[in-house]
């Protein structure tokens, strides 16, 4: 019996160690990138396996080597998630600005295309009272439901699709110019890009995304997702920063992954969750396996007023609500992320790899409300 226990613990230990080591690689294979997600679970399991093994089996050098390897796993996972704990430094300061015309609220929600709890979703979102709503996984049924918002949100861009990648943008605040629906990496994966004018006339550049996730069923690696993030990051970096910028969406990636952190360094955007918590938005169907997949990043002209995960809406994602204040002095108080020496090369390689994997064909899809597409 003890032999069976020892072998089981040893196999678990080797699996955790090997997965952690593989995750140092930048390779986009779904199995390697999949280790980005369960870092809290991996840390807890490594601690439990290491403790039990050390208590019961500690007579030989290889026993201690296994325990040392599990200590390394625990340290690595804690290092990666530490910035998203309340004891870490906050990269975005709390706003002390009084209520005014530069405050606005945004709700980001993956509605789950087959989710039939339409009224629940509408109730939760209306109670959140956002100025801007971004919803993804919007098919024809959800598109029809969301049209009920048009009375209160007269400015909108709709791109419903039946492939789990449709999306819409609804806003109380007017658009500056014509919004765009773009298909940056794959013909069937849209993103929405709009300039929104705040009440005092300040304009904000908003990018809404929902890139394709890595998944084992179709042996889909992370290359399309990574390329879309990098491309948007490089575009934001190339723009003259005269317009505050927000990127939001279900990015199918966790906040602490290599790709997300590369995106933040390239785009110079900030993550308001750093120093506050993980704000896990997926999966609403599980109390154990929950990860921060729904994101709102912003440039350093913004300070945070409120950030929370909303009540369940029948989807496998919780909606995320953020309220921001566009403060002119904030940029001087909140330093941008610093790039690393190899970031530019890594970004170019990610885009090049995806370009080699998939040839872009004729664009498909429908764009409403006068939005352009490219």
């Amino acid at each position: 019996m003890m032999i069976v226990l020892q072998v089981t613990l040893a196999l678990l230990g080797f699996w955790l160690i090997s997965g952690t080591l593989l995750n140092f690689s930048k390779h986009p294979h779904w199995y390697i990138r999949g280790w980005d997600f369960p870092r809290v679970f991996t840390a807890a399991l490594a601690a439990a396996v290491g403790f039990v093994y050390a208590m019961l089996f500690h007579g030989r050098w290889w026993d201690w080597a296994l325990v040392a390897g599990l200590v390394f796993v625990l340290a690595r996972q804690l290092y990666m998630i530490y910035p998203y704990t309340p004891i870490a430094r906050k990269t975005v300061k709390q706003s002390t600005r009084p209520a005014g015309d530069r405050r606005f609220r945004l709700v980001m929600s993956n509605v789950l295309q087959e989710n039939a709890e339409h009224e629940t979703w509408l109730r939760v979102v209306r109670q959140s009272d956002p100025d801007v709503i971004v919803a993804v996984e919007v098919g024809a049924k959800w598109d029809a439901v969301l049209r009920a918002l048009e009375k209160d949100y007269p400015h909108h861009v709709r791109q419903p699709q039946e492939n789990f990648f449709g999306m819409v943008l609804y806003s109380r605040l007017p658009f500056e110019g014509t919004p765009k629906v773009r298909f940056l990496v794959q013909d069937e994966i849209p993103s929405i890009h709009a300039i929104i004018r705040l009440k005092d006339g300040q304009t904000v550049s908003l990018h809404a995304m929902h890139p394709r996730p890595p998944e084992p069923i179709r042996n889909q690696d992370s290359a399309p997702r990574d390329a879309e993030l990098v491309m948007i990051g490089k575009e934001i970096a190339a723009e003259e920063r005269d317009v505050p910028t927000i990127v939001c969406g279900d990015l199918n990636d966790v906040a602490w992954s290599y790709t997300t952190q590369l995106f933040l360094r390239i785009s110079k955007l900030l993550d308001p969750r750093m120093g506050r918590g993980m704000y896990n938005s997926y999966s609403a169907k599980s109390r154990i396996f929950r990860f921060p997949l729904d994101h709102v990043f912003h440039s350093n002209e913004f300070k945070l007023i409120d950030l929370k995960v909303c009540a369940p809406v029948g989807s496998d994602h919780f909606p995320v609500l953020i309220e921001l204040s566009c403060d002119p002095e904030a940029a001087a108080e909140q330093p941008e992320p610093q790039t690393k020496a190899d970031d530019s090369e890594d970004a170019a390689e990610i885009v090049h790899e995806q370009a080699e994997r998939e040839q872009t064909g004729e664009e498909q899809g429908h764009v409403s409300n006068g939005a352009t597409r490219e």
Side-chain angles (χ1 to χ4, degrees), residues 182 184 191 193 207 209 227-237 247 263 267:
R182 304 173 64 189
L184 293 169
S191 55
H193 310 264
H207 305 268
M209 305 170 61
E228 186 167 348
L229 281 172
V230 166
M231 290 172 69
I232 290 294
K234 292 174 71 173
E235 286 189 11
I236 292 171
V247 172
F263 165 77
S267 65

Side-chain angles (χ1 to χ4, degrees), residues 180-215:
K180 297 179 180 179
V181 175
R182 304 173 64 189
F183 298 78
L184 293 169
V185 176
Q186 296 174 304
D187 289 345
E188 69 277 15
I189 310 296
S191 55
I192 295 177
H193 310 264
I195 304 294
I196 295 174
R197 190 169 66 248
L198 303 184
K199 293 177 182 178
D200 72 339
Q202 173 66 52
T203 55
V204 173
S205 177
L206 177 67
H207 305 268
M209 305 170 61
H210 185 208
R212 186 186 297 278
E215 56 175 322

Side-chain angles (χ1 to χ4, degrees), residues 109-328:
S109 177
N110 182 323
V111 301
L112 185 64
Q113 186 170 302
E114 65 266 31
N115 176 20
E117 296 186 36
H118 304 139
E119 292 304 318
T120 300
W121 187 92
L122 287 169
R123 184 183 72 254
V124 170
V125 170
R126 281 176 168 144
Q127 287 174 349
S128 299
D129 193 31
D131 298 301
V132 178
I133 302 168
V134 173
V136 301
E137 285 202 25
V138 175
K141 289 183 179 179
W142 270 102
D143 183 47
V145 169
L146 295 177
R147 287 174 186 260
L149 296 170
E150 291 183 7
K151 180 180 179 181
D152 297 319
Y153 297 86
H155 312 284
H156 46 269
V157 183
R158 295 191 298 272
Q159 178 64 25
Q161 298 181 180
E162 297 303 318
N163 64 348
F164 296 89
F165 291 97
M167 60 169 51
V168 298
L169 166 64
Y170 280 86
S171 177
R172 286 175 178 161
L173 305 169
F175 297 137
E176 185 88 6
T178 304
K180 297 179 180 179
V181 175
R182 304 173 64 189
F183 298 78
L184 293 169
V185 176
Q186 296 174 304
D187 289 345
E188 69 277 15
I189 310 296
S191 55
I192 295 177
H193 310 264
I195 304 294
I196 295 174
R197 190 169 66 248
L198 303 184
K199 293 177 182 178
D200 72 339
Q202 173 66 52
T203 55
V204 173
S205 177
L206 177 67
H207 305 268
M209 305 170 61
H210 185 208
R212 186 186 297 278
E215 56 175 322
I217 296 175
R218 298 178 180 87
N219 198 29
Q220 171 70 53
D221 62 28
S222 70
R225 178 200 69 188
D226 299 348
E228 186 167 348
L229 281 172
V230 166
M231 290 172 69
I232 290 294
K234 292 174 71 173
E235 286 189 11
I236 292 171
E239 296 172 352
E240 293 186 10
R241 185 56 64 76
D242 57 351
V243 178
T245 301
I246 293 173
V247 172
C248 67
D250 170 10
L251 301 186
N252 283 307
D253 199 8
V254 284
W256 46 72
S257 78
Y258 166 76
T259 306
T260 299
Q261 293 302 307
L262 175 64
F263 165 77
L264 291 176
R265 293 194 300 271
I266 291 173
S267 65
K268 303 298 185 182
L269 300 184
L270 305 179
D271 188 341
R273 293 168 297 190
M274 287 186 169
R276 290 185 168 88
M278 297 179 187
Y279 294 88
N280 295 324
S281 59
Y282 174 90
S283 164
K285 308 298 184 182
S286 171
R287 293 186 176 275
I288 298 176
F289 295 102
R290 286 186 178 174
F291 314 112
L293 296 193
D294 298 275
H295 310 267
V296 182
F297 305 125
H298 58 78
S299 54
N300 62 355
E301 295 93 343
F302 294 98
K303 288 185 177 181
L304 182 68
I305 298 173
D306 191 19
L307 175 62
K308 67 179 181 181
V309 175
C310 300
V313 291
S315 171
D316 52 352
H317 290 247
F318 295 101
V320 173
L321 167 69
I322 188 168
E323 185 173 9
L324 296 168
S325 173
C326 190
D327 295 335

Side-chain angles (χ1 to χ4, degrees), residues 37-95:
F37 289 74
R39 294 198 183 276
V40 175
F41 177 79
T42 302
L45 186 57
V49 171
F51 178 78
V52 173
Y53 195 96
M55 291 297 99
L56 298 179
F57 314 105
H58 50 261
R60 293 155 295 190
W61 68 266
W62 54 83
D63 294 327
W64 290 115
L66 177 64
V67 172
L70 289 168
V71 171
F72 159 75
V73 171
L74 176 61
R76 171 64 178 173
Q77 307 306 328
L78 293 178
Y79 171 79
M80 294 300 291
I81 63 178
Y82 168 76
Y84 291 88
T85 62
I87 60 175
R89 181 181 67 87
K90 294 179 175 66
T91 60
V92 178
K93 295 184 179 296
Q94 197 73 29
S95 176

